[in-house]
Amino acid sequence: MKRILASIVLAIASVCIVEGQNHSFSLSGKWNFQIDREDAGVREQWFKKSFDDSINLPGSMPEKLKGDEVTARTQWTGSLYDSSYYFNPYMEKYRMEGQVKLPFFLTPDKHYVGVAWYQKKVTIPSNWRGERITLFLERPHIETTVWVNQQELGMQNSLCVPHIYDLTSAVSPGKTCLITIRIDNRIKEINVGPDSHSITDQTQGNWNGIVGRIELQTTPKVHFEDIQIYPDLNNRKAVVRMNIQSAATTKGEITLSAESFNADIQHTVAPVKQSFSIRPGDNPIEMELPMGKDFLTWDEFSPALYKLTATLNNGKQHDTKQVQFGMRDFKIEGKWFYVNGRKTMLRGTVENCDFPLTGYAPMDVASWERVFRICRSYGLNHMRFHSFCPPEAAFIAADLVGFYLQPEGPSWPNHGPRLGNGQPIDKYLMDETIALTKEYGNYASYCMLACGNEPSGRWVAWVSKFVDYWKATDPRRVYTGASVGNSWQWQPHNQFHVKAGARGLSWAGARPESMSDYRSRIDTVKQPYVSHETGQWCVFPNFNEIRKYTGVNKAKNFEIFRDILNDNHMGSQSYDFMMASGKLQALCYKHEIEKTLRTPDYAGFQLLALNDYSGQGTALVGVLDVFFEEKGYINAEQFRRFCSPTVPLARIPKFVYANDETFHADIEVSHFGAAPLQGAKTIYTIKDKFGKVYAHGTFGAGGTDDTVGTAGTSTVSTQTIPVGNLCSLGSVDLALKGIDTPQKLNLEVRIEGSDAVNAVNDWDFWVYPAQMELAHGDVYTTDTLDEKAISVLKEGGNVLITAAGKIQYGKEVKQYFTPVFWNTSWFKMRPPHTTGIFLNEYHPLFREFPTEYHSNLQWWELLNKAQVMQFTDFPEEFQPTVQSIDTWFISRKIGMLFEANVLNGKLLMTSMDVTSQPEKRIVARQMHKAILDYMNSDAFRPATTVSLEQIQGLFTKVAGDVKSYTKDSPDELKPKIN
């Protein structure tokens, strides 16, 4: 028996969102519901029938557990770049019915792509007579068609703005009507691209439903159809452009007033009035609102906002609207952005629409305010939205926080659609950016716009017209054609560029330093250059995070990776791997961001991302998890040392020294604060881990050299630090001859200003003895398992095998000093495959080799492009002493140094090169000494026994390369196969 449709009688005293005759009431709650798998509803006129099922709105079908169970045959919206899931025998258990787990991205509880119908009976209040009545659907997904009392009112398709239907002619106040909504989330003629973050299962998912506000709203017949506010700071006014719609000729009066509402200083703008004559249809009207000489401005430091009140009086009716805006000027001069005339550097992250609990972007202001305030706490001031536009709540929150936004058209027109080829995407993207600018254009935080991400096709000509249109149409923000990678063409009409190519670290081919910058890659670019998707340094999964996934999407990819680690007898090390790889990740972000800050005329960066990305193979690139929560290895205060409005910088030629050298650092500052720093004083300190001070001094305003020990300083008097980067503050020199034992030292630079700015940053460096002798003692050293080594082991002796370059079993693992980029699944096992090392820093081996439990810069000499050994055939309880952390898709037990009982003797073996060029490679030399001294000590007591055959297998066994590529991959991501 079919359920009876619920009827809601709406009270006259319904909630008003604006003054006057504008009313609204919510349609949230129970709706009748029906899935239309065969898309038969229009043909069978389902808008005339009652539905058997029900659903609570707002919400998505997956959120309400509507749809299909996920199986290995589920057709996903998005490219699957590693098809091995479907044929790998290990993955068979994750393909079984009812036990499906996906490695590509999060696994939803339910999945449905197709048509669904939603229906509700509503009684229209009788006092709405004479009003214009509309149905407001804040964020449906994707295409809606509406019937009222069996009358079709049209179809809309937007991923960016509310769908609004005029119901006036179809309803009668005081009577009940039947509202039926058909929603279709299939990709049809309009294809934004299956990997677009607006729709793909890699991010929010391609869901069917309606989220946000669902309302009936009223306006007078003569009403404001649109209000756009154009701040003019130079002339102390706001230009207000309105469109008034009317069904008849009439006359009336418009009153404009404004008042600040979120600043410590209250500012009220005197009202202005203007009479008007109106014709039927659209009536554009422009008025000026003088803001007075004391008006407040909006920026990241003082985000003062106003509410404009616009009242339209028309005899018996009046229409009142309130519009939030800020007096803000976001311009470009040369290669820099200027906010209200002040040079500004963008420190940004990319928001990928990855919200696991709901599967869609938050629709409330509080959730977005939380995200933006967390980003601010990490020193950021900017966010790009990758191939999607957030809902209005994000703009409201960013306005309140003082955060610069770059929404995009909802498209990654690649991997299917092509831009500029005459496909429907061309018109759709233009229409979408026009609609989102009309809807959100008054928000001060809406500062930048791109059409989308990394297009293909004849796209350059298309985006050139796109930028030209927007430059001529709306001066309130700046425009770029598309956010693109390095291999994409230049876009000559861009006002600014979001482009890769000037990012990354050169550590694969050169030792770490902090002298270099990216100037050679951007010096010919005339417009502001913002780095595209900076970072992408991976960290090992945090399996403790799994319990957080209590909503629509579950972290079953993490469960797979946990199983793999357990099956390889390393499950107890998961937290250690996460922390150790996280320390390396944070180190990489520090040095990449600082390299950007050191670059002349570098206008900004966009991280991909501050938080993890759950899709595209599971890209754990964030220092925060996907929920914007800390993982444990770095916090906001530590991150702000190298990412904030004011960052001390040090140009240091290297980070490893012999004690017959002098440490030298040139100190600079990148300062993009609210104003120049007056009376700034710079303080430096060099100390060891116990706090012993080796050098201390000041330079700057009235500074004196208080150097301790053997340091020397050349002092530069800097009374004022201007806004900008490359401001030289002075230099530090420390003769290292008094340091006789291996030490890690730390240079800290602190800038203090009279305006309470307190910026601090620091850098580790290492000092080793210039002269030393290796004591071989009773250790037999060889580079292979030769006959003498076997004989020594049989006789109970100690053997050191330095096997660098001779390993076979492990040769397939490519290790750099830097960690995995994005992930090895998405990029087809592109090197590197590891995410740093883990070790027990308390092991007696490291008494003469200062180290933490993770990779740090002194390890570069030993780790970068060095071979690893694979220990799959070793005993389960065996763990290497220096353990490399493998890609979590495979989690092979690998390492670079181990010890074991072999035959009657004791063996230590390393694949690190600790013997070549000892006069140049002082870190390797020190490691060699530490190994020998340890092996000659009573502390050399291996805990595990390994067979001779297992040792020999490291030289002879071949594992072979991992083959994970598939035809389901765009050409630019396929590996080069010879």
Side-chain angles (χ1 to χ4, degrees), residues 561-574:
F561 306 144
R562 183 179 59 187
D563 290 348
I564 294 172
L565 192 70
N566 286 330
D567 289 346
N568 286 315
H569 315 297
M570 295 180 287
S572 63
Q573 294 182 286
S574 63

Side-chain angles (χ1 to χ4, degrees), residues 1-145:
M1 178 177 169
K2 295 182 179 179
R3 299 177 182 174
I4 301 174
L5 293 175
S7 177
I8 302 177
V9 179
L10 301 165
I12 293 177
S14 57
V15 177
C16 299
I17 57 169
V18 291
E19 298 176 0
Q21 293 169 305
N22 302 67
H23 299 84
S24 73
F25 62 77
S26 174
L27 300 182
S28 298
K30 185 178 179 181
W31 285 64
N32 289 319
F33 172 76
Q34 196 77 41
I35 294 176
D36 186 0
R37 298 183 187 278
E38 305 301 322
D39 192 12
V42 174
R43 182 178 67 255
E44 296 175 1
Q45 299 184 328
W46 283 20
F47 46 85
K48 294 182 178 179
K49 61 178 272 188
S50 299
F51 301 148
D52 296 329
D53 200 359
S54 64
I55 191 171
N56 286 319
L57 295 179
S60 69
M61 283 180 58
E63 195 176 17
K64 307 302 180 179
L65 294 178
K66 304 289 187 181
D68 302 320
E69 297 294 327
V70 171
T71 73
R73 297 178 300 279
T74 296
Q75 297 295 304
W76 300 104
T77 302
S79 304
L80 304 182
Y81 287 80
D82 184 355
S83 63
S84 61
Y85 169 77
Y86 294 99
F87 57 78
N88 184 345
Y90 181 87
M91 292 290 173
E92 182 178 359
K93 57 188 173 184
Y94 306 120
R95 301 191 296 264
M96 296 176 62
E97 296 287 338
Q99 302 178 42
V100 170
K101 299 179 181 181
L102 304 173
F104 322 112
F105 40 74
L106 301 176
T107 305
D109 292 326
K110 295 286 186 177
H111 181 269
Y112 179 75
V113 175
V115 178
W117 294 67
Y118 304 78
Q119 194 176 73
K120 194 179 192 75
K121 279 187 176 180
V122 178
T123 299
I124 308 298
S126 58
N127 68 329
W128 284 16
R129 289 187 177 89
E131 301 293 305
R132 174 177 171 266
I133 302 173
T134 56
L135 173 65
F136 178 92
L137 309 175
E138 186 172 8
R139 184 145 291 201
H141 192 95
I142 304 175
E143 177 188 281
T144 61
T145 308

Side-chain angles (χ1 to χ4, degrees), residues 525-834:
V525 183
K526 297 180 180 179
Q527 301 80 20
Y529 191 110
V530 180
S531 72
H532 175 66
E533 301 179 354
T534 283
Q536 305 184 54
W537 308 111
C538 274
V539 64
F540 199 81
N542 179 12
F543 299 138
N544 293 331
E545 184 184 316
I546 294 173
R547 63 191 179 91
K548 295 183 180 181
Y549 293 81
T550 57
V552 168
N553 294 313
K554 303 300 191 297
K556 295 184 179 181
N557 48 352
F558 278 37
E559 294 176 14
I560 293 175
F561 306 144
R562 183 179 59 187
D563 290 348
I564 294 172
L565 192 70
N566 286 330
D567 289 346
N568 286 315
H569 315 297
M570 295 180 287
S572 63
Q573 294 182 286
S574 63
Y575 182 78
D576 293 330
F577 286 177
M578 184 273 294
M579 289 293 292
S581 61
K583 289 292 186 181
L584 175 60
Q585 178 201 53
L587 184 72
C588 291
Y589 276 115
K590 170 183 168 65
H591 281 266
E592 186 168 9
I593 290 172
E594 289 181 2
K595 190 172 182 177
T596 304
L597 298 179
R598 291 195 302 267
T599 304
D601 294 326
Y602 210 140
F605 61 84
Q606 295 172 347
L607 302 176
L608 189 61
L610 184 66
N611 65 322
D612 282 338
Y613 180 91
S614 298
Q616 295 183 1
T618 309
L620 306 176
V621 297
V623 298
L624 301 178
D625 65 24
V626 70
F627 302 95
F628 284 92
E629 295 179 346
E630 291 179 5
K631 300 178 185 178
Y633 50 81
I634 192 170
N635 59 30
E637 181 181 2
Q638 294 163 335
F639 199 87
R640 281 200 311 275
R641 286 188 163 224
F642 54 84
C643 180
S644 64
T646 306
V647 178
L649 300 169
R651 291 188 185 264
I652 304 172
K654 60 181 182 176
F655 293 97
V656 172
Y657 295 84
N659 65 353
D660 60 355
E661 297 181 281
T662 296
F663 172 81
H664 176 83
D666 292 316
I667 308 303
E668 299 177 357
V669 61
S670 172
H671 174 61
F672 291 92
L677 286 180
Q678 305 292 333
K681 181 174 68 172
T682 303
I683 304 168
Y684 71 87
T685 305
I686 296 177
K687 57 187 176 182
D688 65 18
K689 66 178 182 178
F690 302 110
K692 178 181 177 180
V693 174
Y694 288 78
H696 176 77
T698 63
F699 35 79
T704 60
D705 182 5
D706 299 324
T707 304
V708 176
T710 57
T713 304
S714 58
T715 305
V716 177
S717 178
T718 305
Q719 297 292 333
T720 300
I721 295 177
V723 173
N725 62 348
L726 306 179
C727 178
S728 179
L729 300 178
S731 62
V732 177
D733 291 276
L734 174 64
L736 303 172
K737 60 184 179 182
I739 302 173
D740 297 325
T741 58
Q743 296 281 342
K744 183 186 81 169
L745 300 181
N746 179 268
L747 167 66
E748 182 179 88
V749 177
R750 183 180 301 273
I751 299 174
E752 298 177 350
S754 59
D755 55 358
V757 170
N758 193 345
V760 61
N761 201 358
D762 69 292
W763 300 265
D764 293 332
F765 64 97
W766 289 260
V767 183
Y768 298 97
Q771 302 295 327
M772 69 171 195
E773 294 183 3
L774 297 177
H776 288 271
D778 295 329
V779 176
Y780 171 66
T781 300
T782 178
D783 60 5
T784 188
L785 188 61
D786 56 23
E787 290 299 326
K788 183 173 181 180
I790 296 173
S791 175
V792 170
L793 290 170
K794 285 181 178 178
E795 294 173 3
N798 296 343
V799 173
L800 169 63
I801 301 180
T802 56
K806 296 198 171 185
I807 297 300
Q808 286 297 319
Y809 197 41
K811 187 177 181 180
E812 69 284 353
V813 182
K814 305 302 180 185
Q815 176 178 259
Y816 297 173
F817 179 75
T818 51
V820 166
F821 175 88
W822 196 240
N823 62 69
T824 55
S825 173
W826 184 264
F827 281 104
K828 312 292 162 282
M829 293 300 294
R830 184 175 77 179
H833 302 150
T834 60

